[in-house]
Amino acid sequence: MAATRSASTPAGTNNLTLATGAVLTGTIDGGGSDSTVNLVGRGALSNTIANFGAGSEVNIEQNADWTATGHWTVATVTNSGTFQAGTLNPDPPLYLNGNFVQTTTGTLQVVVTPTLSTQFLVSGTAQLAGGLKYIFTPGTYAPHTYNFLTASGGITGSFATINYSGAVPPTIANRPCHHQRRRRLQPGAEPGRRRARQPRLVPGDAGG
């Protein structure tokens, strides 16, 4: 799709596919329909997605790599590729008025600094599988908790793999997370203060 002012779908069920190089300005308006937006290739989307019906979807396809910010109102977002929800300040988180599902081929990507992380705020449920990838920016990491995924309707499932890239602290430790509403990252935590079932990173703690 080439440069476009805005996108809208008439009543009924329609598909909109955004690929590498797609540029949209304005709102993607579903017109009250149960339409589907497919993200393929790679790109970034900061548009509002609004007025989609109860059977609507946004699909991040397998092998796709997308970053999104802003406000989305769509029934279900399904990630089968690599998906980063939110960017670091001054850009906003991604707010999803709907449900999030990650398949076994999907990876949720989270960018972390010593003081903040990208954020994904979901009004419905989040169902997890696949992978989680942390990208560390340079800095000194002290004990700090990041709520990078919040789902008001609860979280089920878990990440099968967790990977790290960027300026990874010298030593990190991870614990599986099955918290019902949030996924957290806590670098620099003291071993005696770990909370079971919370993922956390512990730089400089070789004792794990």
Side-chain angles (χ1 to χ4, degrees), residues 15-75:
N15 291 330
L16 172 67
T17 298
L18 302 179
T20 303
V23 178
L24 293 176
T25 58
T27 298
I28 300 175
D29 191 329
S33 66
D34 292 340
S35 296
T36 298
V37 178
N38 297 307
L39 303 181
V40 300
R42 58 190 303 123
L45 193 62
S46 59
N47 306 75
T48 295
I49 296 179
N51 201 22
F52 278 72
S56 58
E57 293 183 284
V58 172
N59 296 317
I60 300 94
E61 301 288 352
Q62 191 169 351
N63 300 318
D65 187 343
W66 281 78
T67 297
T69 59
H71 292 77
W72 291 6
T73 297
V74 62

Side-chain angles (χ1 to χ4, degrees), residues 4 6 28 42 57 66 112 115 118 124 129-130 145 168 170 174 185 192 202:
T4 309
S6 61
I28 300 175
R42 58 190 303 123
E57 293 183 284
W66 281 78
V112 182
T115 58
T118 53
T145 298
V168 182
N174 180 74
L185 168 68
V202 189

Side-chain angles (χ1 to χ4, degrees), residues 10 15 17 29 41 56 64-65 68 124-125 129 134 141 154-155 158 176 181 197:
N15 291 330
T17 298
D29 191 329
S56 58
D65 187 343
T125 61
Y134 296 118
Y141 286 84
I155 295 175
S158 61
R181 294 184 184 275
R197 305 167 67 194

Side-chain angles (χ1 to χ4, degrees), residues 66-84:
W66 281 78
T67 297
T69 59
H71 292 77
W72 291 6
T73 297
V74 62
T76 304
V77 172
T78 300
N79 177 35
S80 298
T82 298
F83 186 52
Q84 180 179 313

